[in-house]
């Protein structure tokens, strides 16, 4: 089948599932759930619905159980609203992406704090010796440049 058609169907399934969870499914185990993505195989036989749950691990487990028990009702509604001859099998999968993003944000905040601490320590720091031990006086540099210019002029005159 066409991958573009599968993507359109995935978007429609995501809308239907989100709407069902918001309005029709009244399971008390269902926590604060968000449908993040849906992927449909190219043969339109299977749909994987990714979701996140705001809350603890216990709430995630309860939500997973509630979604599993409501899978039949949701699938029949998907079939009714999409008008497909064969409704795809639904699989609910917890989406680890927001957790990973939160972990990355924590790591970046820690790195910024360390950088600020190092910058604070470096404010009053001074070099152990001269700032540039290879630095020459400006007069010496001018003299060397003039000597080099004279040598080039002599060579070109010959």
């Amino acid at each position: 089948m066409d991958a573009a058609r599968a993507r359109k169907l995935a978007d429609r399934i995501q809308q239907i599932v989100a709407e069902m969870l918001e309005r029709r499914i009244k399971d008390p185990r269902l926590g604060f759930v968000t449908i993040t993505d849906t992927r449909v195989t190219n043969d339109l036989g299977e749909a994987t619905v990714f979701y996140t749950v705001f809350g603890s691990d216990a709430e995630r487990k309860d939500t997973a159980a509630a979604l599993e028990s409501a899978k039949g009702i949701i699938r029949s509604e998907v079939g009714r609203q999409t008008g497909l001859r064969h409704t795809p099998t639904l699989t609910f999968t917890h989406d680890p992406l927001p957790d990973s993003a939160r972990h990355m944000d924590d790591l970046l905040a820690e790195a910024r704090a360390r950088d600020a601490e190092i910058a604070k320590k470096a404010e009053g720091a001074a070099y152990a010796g001269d700032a540039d031990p290879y630095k020459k006086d400006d007069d010496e540099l001018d003299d060397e440049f003039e000597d080099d210019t004279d040598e080039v002029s002599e060579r070109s005159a010959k």
Side-chain angles (χ1 to χ4, degrees):
M1 289 280 175
D2 187 19
R5 182 174 181 213
R7 186 68 230 161
K8 286 179 185 177
L9 180 62
D11 290 342
R12 182 68 185 130
I13 290 173
Q14 182 176 351
Q15 291 172 352
I16 294 168
V17 171
E19 189 176 295
M20 287 282 297
L21 293 177
E22 185 179 328
R23 295 197 175 105
R24 291 198 42 204
I25 308 296
K26 300 298 180 195
D27 193 329
R29 298 176 294 176
L30 197 61
F32 187 70
V33 64
T34 303
I35 304 300
T36 56
D37 193 20
T38 303
R39 296 192 183 141
V40 177
T41 58
N42 284 343
D43 66 354
L44 309 179
E46 297 178 25
T48 305
V49 180
F50 294 94
Y51 68 94
T52 60
V53 179
F54 184 74
S56 65
D57 287 336
E59 290 172 326
R60 285 186 188 138
K61 290 178 184 176
D62 289 343
T63 299
L67 288 171
E68 197 62 35
S69 68
K71 186 187 290 187
I73 297 168
I74 295 171
R75 183 171 183 233
S76 65
E77 186 65 22
V78 166
R80 190 180 69 73
Q81 288 192 26
T82 58
L84 293 174
R85 182 179 299 165
H86 299 288
T87 304
T89 305
L90 297 179
T91 305
F92 289 97
T93 305
H94 182 264
D95 191 0
L97 186 66
D99 296 334
S100 300
R102 191 174 312 115
H103 179 67
M104 287 293 269
D105 286 342
D106 293 344
L107 291 175
L108 288 171
E110 183 180 332
R112 279 190 211 101
R114 286 183 182 176
D115 286 349
E117 182 180 320
I118 289 171
K120 187 176 180 181
K121 287 180 181 178
E123 278 180 8
Y127 291 105
D130 290 335
D132 183 8
Y134 302 107
K135 189 173 182 180
K136 297 180 180 181
D137 292 336
D138 288 339
D139 295 336
E140 290 178 23
L141 289 174
D142 291 341
D143 291 342
E144 286 180 20
F145 181 72
E146 288 175 8
D147 291 341
D148 290 342
T149 308
D150 293 340
E151 289 177 22
V152 171
S153 300
E154 290 174 11
R155 285 187 203 153
S156 60
K158 290 182 181 179

